[in-house]
Amino acid sequence: MQLLIKENKILLIIIAIAVMVSFLTIGGRFSVENKNKTYDIVLDFNEIKAMADQSDHDIAWWLSEFKKMGITKVGLAEESMVSLMEDTELPINATVMDIIMKDADWEAKYPADFIAEMKAVGYDKYDVLIEAASLEAFDFVANGVSERYHPENYFMKATDDGGYLLLNGTAKQTLYSEKYKYMSSVKKGFVEKDEIVSSKIMYINYGLLPTKVQIVESAGMDIIPRTASYEGWNDTKYAEAVINSYGKLDKVPEYMIVGGESIIGYDDGIETASDYIKKNHVTIGLIENTTQLQNILQFGVNDIVKSTGYDAVRIFSVWDYIQNRYQYYGYEGAKEIENTLFRAVVERNVRLIYFKPIKEFKDQHVYVTELDEYQTMFSNLESRLDVHQIEFGSKASVMDQYMVSLWAKLAMALGCVAAAVLLIRSILPISRRMKAGLFALGALGAAGAFAVMPGYAELMTSFAAAVIFPSVATLFIIRQSKEFADTLDRSERLPKIVGLGVLTLLCGVVISLMGGLMTAAPISSVNYMLEIDIFRGVKLAQLLPLIFFIAAYLAYYGFGESKKYRGILEYNDLREMMNASIKVWMVLLGILLLGVGYYYIERTGHDSSIQVSSLEMIFRNVLEDNLIARPRSKEFLFAFPAVMMLVYTSVRRFKLWPILFGLASIIGMTSVANTFMHIRTPLYLGFARTGYSLLFGIVIGIVGILIFEIGHMLYKKLERQIG
């Protein structure tokens, strides 16, 4: 070890400087996270109304009860033709012309003068025809259309008891059914066909319905308007009309939660919306995806967030599948929904919950209407978040605009280059000149990358740290295990072996933890913490250290009996491995390891196709309820004990077991760095999670060693008796 330090003194100094820079960078991020400690809740009006309709009370009563719980904001969506037909009592209907025109005498169903005027202005099958059977319904839609859209996009005609509106549609806005097959008498066979079923025009907005506004305001709650915008119907005129409608509320909305495809006015650019948001200090919402990875892509939103200095908040929307987690996993009540909200706020920088009421398990139509279920859930959530010093407030907190400096990122990149060269030198006999040349080449490449493509370079620096430092930890664990095997007697006392195993595990985790900080630090800017940009390559970063393990293991343990130089990857090692006789048990073991490896890699990330079992989720929830942060199961149940078992089986000179436990231990080293790849997760959780994993892993490792030792003693005793 002293020789290694002496020969690589300069590289180690560069690595130490890079780690210190990462600590300073992380310190700035700590400060940002410690200020971001207030969350807020917004109720979805339409779903609260639907729940109220199934209960013994009206929506006004329910809103007053939610207000007693401290919730003061209601998300009120602007009306579209879909919502007017489905969620209001207004006598109004809208249909795509293609559907209307399939009726041979469709013209006879409408006033002759209206049909004549409609033919004069022109129409086609992509247009949408609106029929209002009351003056109230017609006036609401007609005013919304005339205020927001250009005359060339519509035609309207009032009648004594309502009226008609024709909205100009295009093929691009049309919605079709899925293709189906039918028998064609012309083509003498089955052909595929799809049909027009609707149009995006059915979803364009006309404004807030006054009756709904009155209900919310009478309850003494603030309205958070929800406006949906769609291409072709979303220019400056539309944006200005929407902003004017916000002005009629007599209070600037706290948040702008964008609906539809884009920010208001996006067809002409983001200036109108951006100016309004900046002038009125409105916080824009970033809605988290259903996969819990990044945010929903809505055109113009990220650009506005950047232009306003990141005055934005991450939103967790209670999606329909979350609503149905009532009495889930066998829990009573809404415990699992509470768990979901808790994780969103604590682990993913969510500070605004867009709440939709609870539904019965596996029933999309029946709401839970017991008030105490909601009181219990929100009360428990608030108490659990208090432990993390996150409080329920009148407005969600916003992160400071923290940016990592270019020089800090470059210093960390050079540290990764130095660590990579050290890694190569540790298994290959390269000269001092070659070592200097590799570092110079890597440093030049890093500097050039930051000069030409800084965004890509910071991600590459983070990715390199996530691969290199766990690999260094892997190398350390293998090197120490082999050194113990060579210097200690195979009958060494068990307490000493356990102590060395614990020490090796601690050192390996510390090295990986440095890699975790080096992974997190370059991308600790606010754009990553809000998940506008994300770290990619998590699965590859988990896989590469496993591949490096093979080279490191061969360099220190060799393959067969021809190993000459410990710590050097020799040609004989590779040759003997490639020429080894393959036995059936080896094939079976290889298949098993591949299966385990696939499961491990596939389980990484939220977009995995492998679902977590109910039993495992309940186990996770128990840990989550009783600890500051839930330790990672694969670390404390599997990988960390494997490091101690590697030391034990190496000293006892067991065959095969060292390579199996070595492989398992690498998962722990990569997992530590992986913990810090999730930039949205506050840093203190990462440290707490790793600490718990270490503590529990050591206990399980000791138990594992005792079981192996007892089993080995029994085996030897049985062997002597048989002999």
Side-chain angles (χ1 to χ4, degrees):
M1 183 63 73
Q2 291 179 344
L3 181 62
L4 178 69
I5 294 173
K6 183 177 180 181
E7 290 182 350
N8 300 283
K9 189 163 47 178
I10 295 177
L11 291 178
L12 291 171
I13 290 172
I14 294 171
I15 294 170
I17 292 172
V19 171
M20 289 175 60
V21 171
S22 73
F23 266 103
L24 293 173
T25 303
I26 289 300
R29 178 176 155 186
F30 256 125
S31 176
V32 172
E33 291 175 343
N34 287 335
K35 295 177 185 176
N36 187 35
K37 291 289 187 177
T38 307
Y39 73 101
D40 198 1
I41 300 172
V42 176
L43 302 174
D44 183 276
F45 179 92
N46 287 338
E47 293 231 24
I48 299 294
K49 174 69 165 59
M51 178 190 67
D53 291 342
Q54 294 182 10
S55 74
D56 297 328
H57 303 282
D58 62 12
I59 186 172
W61 183 89
W62 277 100
L63 290 179
S64 68
E65 292 301 319
F66 279 116
K67 188 176 181 183
K68 292 175 185 176
M69 300 177 210
I71 302 172
T72 61
K73 299 179 182 67
V74 178
L76 185 57
E78 293 195 5
E79 303 299 333
S80 66
M81 286 313 306
V82 172
S83 67
L84 288 171
M85 290 189 292
E86 294 180 356
D87 300 328
T88 72
E89 296 179 356
L90 291 178
I92 197 164
N93 185 57
T95 312
V96 180
M97 284 300 300
D98 181 73
I99 298 173
I100 294 174
M101 292 162 60
K102 287 180 180 178
D103 190 343
D105 62 343
W106 70 272
E107 292 183 7
K109 298 179 180 179
Y110 300 92
D113 57 341
F114 168 67
I115 293 296
E117 291 183 49
M118 193 171 76
K119 288 181 177 179
V121 298
Y123 65 90
D124 58 38
K125 66 179 182 178
Y126 303 117
D127 297 343
V128 172
L129 178 60
I130 301 172
E131 304 172 58
S134 74
L135 290 176
E136 179 189 5
F138 178 78
D139 288 344
F140 176 75
V141 177
N143 290 336
V145 168
S146 60
E147 288 175 357
R148 295 165 180 244
Y149 309 116
H150 293 281
E152 61 268 23
N153 286 333
Y154 64 87
F155 159 69
M156 67 175 68
K157 183 174 179 61
T159 63
D160 293 338
D161 56 356
Y164 301 92
L165 295 96
L166 184 70
L167 303 182
N168 182 32
T170 65
K172 190 174 182 179
Q173 296 160 344
T174 303
L175 303 175
Y176 295 85
S177 66
E178 292 186 11
K179 288 184 180 292
Y180 64 92
K181 292 183 178 180
Y182 76 104
M183 176 65 76
S184 171
S185 59
V186 177
K187 296 186 177 181
K188 307 299 182 183
F190 286 100
V191 296
E192 287 190 336
K193 183 179 181 179
D194 51 20
E195 293 183 346
I196 294 174
V197 293
S198 188
S199 170
K200 289 182 182 179
I201 295 174
M202 300 286 285
Y203 298 90
I204 63 174
N205 286 176
Y206 307 109
L208 298 172
L209 197 63
T211 54
K212 292 183 179 180
V213 171
Q214 185 179 6
I215 291 171
V216 178
E217 291 181 338
S218 296
M221 303 182 84
D222 296 330
I223 293 173
I224 305 298
R226 298 293 314 277
T227 303
S229 307
Y230 296 93
E231 184 182 4
W233 300 80
N234 185 25
D235 58 8
T236 301
K237 177 180 173 67
Y238 176 82
E240 290 174 346
V242 170
I243 289 171
N244 289 336
S245 72
Y246 292 172
K248 295 175 184 177
L249 298 175
D250 294 328
K251 186 174 182 180
V252 175
E254 293 277 7
Y255 315 109
M256 180 177 285
I257 307 175
V258 176
E261 297 174 336
S262 58
I263 195 79
I264 55 173
Y266 185 73
D267 288 357
D268 293 340
I270 65 170
E271 288 76 17
T272 303
S274 181
D275 290 345
Y276 174 77
I277 289 169
K278 289 178 183 177
K279 181 180 177 182
N280 295 280
H281 306 289
V282 178
T283 298
I284 193 164
L286 299 168
I287 305 171
E288 184 183 63
N289 264 317
T290 56
T291 59
Q292 301 176 13
L293 180 65
Q294 212 165 6
N295 308 308
I296 291 175
L297 177 61
Q298 295 168 301
F299 299 115
V301 171
N302 288 347
D303 294 331
I304 284 191
V305 170
K306 294 173 183 176
S307 73
T308 58
Y310 294 91
D311 186 3
V313 62
R314 296 198 76 218
I315 299 174
F316 178 78
S317 178
V318 179
W319 304 106
D320 52 3
Y321 74 94
I322 301 294
Q323 289 177 272
N324 285 116
R325 288 184 173 177
Y326 182 68
Q327 296 180 338
Y328 205 59
Y329 296 137
Y331 289 125
E332 291 184 2
K335 176 64 176 176
E336 185 55 24
I337 298 177
E338 174 197 317
N339 289 337
T340 305
L341 300 180
F342 174 80
R343 285 190 288 267
V345 175
V346 171
E347 297 182 3
R348 304 199 299 274
N349 276 332
V350 166
R351 290 297 178 265
L352 186 62
I353 297 170
Y354 193 77
F355 185 76
K356 300 168 190 173
I358 307 164
K359 292 181 179 179
E360 294 284 355
F361 180 46
K362 292 185 178 179
D363 194 323
Q364 293 286 342
H365 307 287
V366 180
Y367 290 93
V368 173
T369 57
E370 287 77 23
L371 178 63
D372 60 340
E373 294 287 5
Y374 296 93
Q375 292 172 330
T376 300
M377 182 184 67
F378 284 122
S379 176
N380 288 346
L381 177 65
E382 190 169 352
S383 297
R384 291 174 67 183
L385 290 173
D386 278 342
V387 175
H388 295 265
Q389 299 179 328
I390 300 175
E391 62 180 12
F392 182 32
S394 59
K395 184 175 181 180
S397 55
V398 174
M399 286 186 179
D400 292 340
Q401 188 178 351
Y402 181 66
M403 292 292 175
V404 181
S405 74
L406 176 62
W407 292 109
K409 287 184 280 193
L410 182 57
M412 287 181 276
L414 295 178
C416 288
V417 172
V421 174
L422 181 64
L423 207 58
I424 295 170
R425 172 63 187 85
S426 297
I427 61 173
L428 294 177
I430 60 175
S431 65
R432 187 175 298 179
R433 181 175 296 179
M434 174 69 75
K435 189 167 58 175
L438 287 174
F439 176 78
L441 190 63
L444 186 62
F450 274 105
V452 177
M453 42 187 181
Y456 180 75
E458 67 187 13
L459 285 172
M460 285 303 300
T461 300
S462 185
F463 177 78
V467 173
I468 293 169
F469 280 85
S471 297
V472 173
T474 298
L475 185 70
F476 172 82
I477 290 168
I478 293 170
R479 178 190 179 99
Q480 289 304 116
S481 298
K482 181 58 177 171
E483 185 173 317
F484 296 147
D486 291 344
T487 57
L488 298 177
D489 191 270
R490 67 186 305 167
S491 59
E492 184 63 63
R493 292 181 304 109
L494 194 62
K496 183 172 182 178
I497 298 175
V498 170
L500 292 173
V502 171
L503 185 61
T504 303
L505 172 60
L506 288 172
C507 292
V509 169
V510 168
I511 295 170
S512 288
L513 197 57
M514 288 192 293
L517 297 181
M518 289 278 286
T519 297
I523 53 176
S524 282
S525 300
V526 66
N527 53 310
Y528 287 99
M529 289 193 279
L530 289 173
E531 288 218 319
I532 293 172
D533 298 308
I534 62 170
F535 177 91
R536 298 188 185 276
V538 172
K539 293 186 178 182
L540 186 59
Q542 300 274 294
L543 182 62
L544 291 178
L546 287 170
I547 296 173
F548 173 77
F549 166 79
I550 298 172
Y553 189 88
L554 289 174
Y556 283 88
Y557 282 81
F559 194 95
E561 304 299 329
S562 63
K563 186 69 181 171
K564 293 182 180 179
Y565 304 105
R566 182 167 65 86
I568 296 176
L569 183 61
E570 302 171 80
Y571 172 72
N572 288 338
D573 300 327
L574 298 173
R575 185 186 63 187
E576 289 200 10
M577 183 180 70
M578 298 302 292
N579 293 333
S581 298
I582 306 298
K583 297 178 174 60
V584 174
W585 69 266
M586 293 180 179
V587 174
L588 294 176
L589 180 61
I591 293 172
L592 178 63
L593 291 175
L594 285 174
V596 171
Y598 170 78
Y599 181 80
Y600 161 64
I601 295 297
E602 187 60 26
R603 271 287 299 271
T604 302
H606 288 285
D607 54 348
S608 170
S609 60
I610 298 176
Q611 297 297 314
V612 179
S613 68
S614 297
L615 185 62
E616 184 178 351
M617 281 304 303
I618 292 171
F619 177 60
R620 289 183 177 188
N621 290 338
V622 170
L623 294 173
E624 200 171 72
D625 285 342
N626 293 282
L627 303 173
I628 293 295
R630 176 183 62 81
R632 308 191 86 168
S633 302
K634 60 187 172 185
E635 291 180 359
F636 76 88
L637 289 176
F638 180 58
F640 286 180
V643 176
M644 297 172 63
M645 296 299 295
L646 170 60
V647 173
Y648 167 76
T649 53
S650 295
V651 174
R652 289 288 189 253
R653 315 293 197 273
F654 290 166
K655 302 294 184 184
L656 184 61
W657 287 109
I659 190 170
L660 295 179
F661 285 123
L663 274 170
S665 66
I666 306 317
I667 293 173
M669 300 304 102
T670 58
S671 181
V672 172
N674 175 261
T675 295
F676 293 89
M677 292 177 196
H678 304 284
I679 304 302
R680 64 196 181 180
T681 302
L683 288 165
Y684 78 94
L685 288 180
F687 287 112
R689 186 165 283 155
T690 303
Y692 283 128
S693 292
L694 257 178
L695 178 62
F696 298 155
I698 289 171
V699 173
I700 294 174
I702 292 172
V703 172
I705 289 174
L706 289 174
I707 291 172
F708 248 71
E709 183 76 356
I710 294 169
H712 181 60
M713 290 169 62
L714 291 175
Y715 172 77
K716 287 295 185 183
K717 183 177 180 181
L718 182 62
E719 189 177 48
R720 286 194 299 268
Q721 290 175 351
I722 294 174

